[in-house]
Amino acid sequence: MASNSPSPEGIDVPETPTAGAWGEWNPTEDSARSVRGKHRVLKQRGGLARSSTVLGVGVIAAVGAGGIATAQDRPQVAISMPSLPDLPDLLGGGHASGAAGTDTAAPAGAAAAQSTGIPGQADGQGHGQADAGEALRHRILQQAESQQEAVETQARADAERTAREAAAQEARAQKEAADKEAETARAAAEKAAAEKAEADKAAEAAATTAAKTAEGGTSGSGTGTKASGGYSLPTSSYTLTSHYGDSGSMWSSGHHTGLDFAAPTGTPVKAVGGGKVISAGWSGAYGYRIVLQLDDGTEVWYCHLSSMSVTSGTVGAGETIGRVGATGNVTGAHLHLEVRKGGSTVDPLAWLESKGLSV
């Protein structure tokens, strides 16, 4: 393709021969003759001239358009072409000329390419970097959320485990307390049963002793309360010290009106027969006294007692109604027994013997 347009330097370039529509073109000595006149001498840059670079670009373009140019049949000649901008300048990289020490401004097209978002240029790179940064930020946020969820899940699991352990510990404590209470109740029940068995055993032994005592008896010195025909001796382990009718200054009437059974303080005092207690309390010289009225109307007085077990109501023969003492006008602990019929005293010893009792 021919060109008659002026060159960048204002030099006319002769028309170049063509071979058809972009056919093979072999430069000759005449066609490649140097242009007369002012022209730029190419400077070597690293062993390569600028024109060589431009020539390489032209060859590449020629190859892309119409094939490889050959010059087998023509002699090789030197080719001199006008100086054109460097390839980096054409592509928008004005830094190449700056590297050679020439202050060459970047083409306007390069600046426009940087601001129009052409792929590979500044705007496209900015968008790509922004997208990559946003993606990285999104990923970091997702990781942070995942870690936070993991922490919260672990915290909930720990709280649930702690609650379960606390509930189990409380249940164990309650069970231990219940077991302790049950053990205490069981021990109390065993103790009560043992006490009851001991009491039953003591009661049985006392009943046996009473039965044996009832079978025996003494005259003047007794160890038991012999029962005969529904009657019983008034006490046990005694000694007769004063009889009915004894005289002396110790008695206000001048003579003794009863029968004295000397025995240790606290010795049980028995009802001689079945009857009803009609009087119990303090009685001057008699001390503490119980009056037992038998079924036939006979009154039996128990005097100088240390305590009274029965103060009213009905009693049976041999039942304990009080304890031997030394209250009232006495010289020692003893039971003063009086028997009265129709308001008058009778001999207690004779009366007891008449009931079949051996005193």
Side-chain angles (χ1 to χ4, degrees):
M1 181 177 179
S3 175
N4 293 325
S5 61
S7 67
E9 301 293 334
I11 302 174
D12 294 334
V13 180
E15 183 178 355
T16 304
T18 62
W22 292 101
E24 182 178 315
W25 173 67
N26 294 321
T28 63
E29 184 178 358
D30 294 335
S31 63
R33 183 178 299 147
S34 302
V35 179
R36 296 180 182 276
K38 183 179 179 181
H39 63 278
R40 178 180 296 179
V41 179
L42 299 178
K43 296 181 180 180
Q44 296 294 328
R45 183 179 297 174
L48 295 177
R50 281 187 175 183
S51 60
S52 299
T53 303
V54 176
L55 178 59
V57 176
V59 171
I60 293 173
V63 171
I68 301 175
T70 61
Q72 299 178 356
D73 299 333
R74 297 179 183 275
Q76 297 180 355
V77 295
I79 298 176
S80 178
M81 295 186 67
S83 178
L84 295 175
D86 290 341
L87 179 59
D89 293 339
L90 294 176
L91 297 177
H95 59 276
S97 297
T102 304
D103 294 336
T104 305
Q114 292 179 0
S115 62
T116 55
I118 298 175
Q121 300 304 318
D123 290 344
Q125 292 176 357
H127 287 299
Q129 292 177 357
D131 294 340
E134 182 64 22
L136 178 60
R137 187 180 73 86
H138 183 65
R139 185 184 305 171
I140 291 174
L141 291 177
Q142 285 183 338
Q143 292 178 353
E145 291 178 357
S146 299
Q147 293 177 357
Q148 182 65 24
E149 290 179 357
V151 170
E152 292 177 356
T153 301
Q154 183 64 31
R156 287 194 297 269
D158 293 342
E160 292 176 357
R161 183 174 62 255
T162 302
R164 288 195 298 271
E165 292 177 354
Q169 185 175 2
E170 184 178 359
R172 287 194 297 271
Q174 292 179 353
K175 184 177 182 300
E176 291 176 357
D179 293 342
K180 187 175 181 180
E181 291 179 358
E183 182 66 22
T184 302
R186 184 165 50 253
E190 291 177 355
K191 183 178 179 181
E195 291 177 353
K196 183 177 183 301
E198 187 69 20
D200 293 342
K201 184 177 180 181
E204 182 179 357
T208 302
T209 302
K212 290 181 179 180
T213 302
E215 293 177 357
T218 61
S219 177
S221 179
T223 57
T225 56
K226 181 179 180 181
S228 176
Y231 290 89
S232 175
L233 289 175
T235 189
S236 61
S237 300
Y238 60 87
T239 300
L240 296 178
T241 58
S242 297
H243 292 75
Y244 179 79
D246 290 346
S247 61
S249 60
M250 295 183 298
W251 301 288
S252 58
S253 60
H255 65 276
H256 194 219
T257 58
L259 182 64
D260 291 345
F261 297 80
T265 299
T267 302
V269 174
K270 311 290 184 178
V272 294
K276 180 175 64 174
V277 176
I278 60 174
S279 177
W282 182 261
S283 184
Y286 288 104
Y288 286 107
R289 182 191 67 174
I290 294 176
V291 177
L292 174 64
Q293 186 180 53
L294 302 181
D295 295 338
D296 61 358
T298 303
E299 293 182 0
V300 181
W301 291 13
Y302 301 84
C303 305
H304 309 304
L305 301 177
S306 61
S307 64
M308 299 177 292
S309 301
V310 179
T311 58
S312 64
T314 303
V315 295
E319 183 176 345
T320 299
I321 59 176
R323 301 283 176 175
V324 173
T327 59
N329 185 16
V330 296
T331 57
H334 69 281
L335 169 64
H336 175 81
L337 183 70
E338 287 190 11
V339 179
R340 293 174 176 263
K341 287 187 174 183
S344 299
T345 61
V346 296
D347 185 359
L349 180 59
W351 183 84
L352 291 173
E353 290 178 347
S354 67
K355 303 299 182 184
L357 297 173
S358 176
V359 181

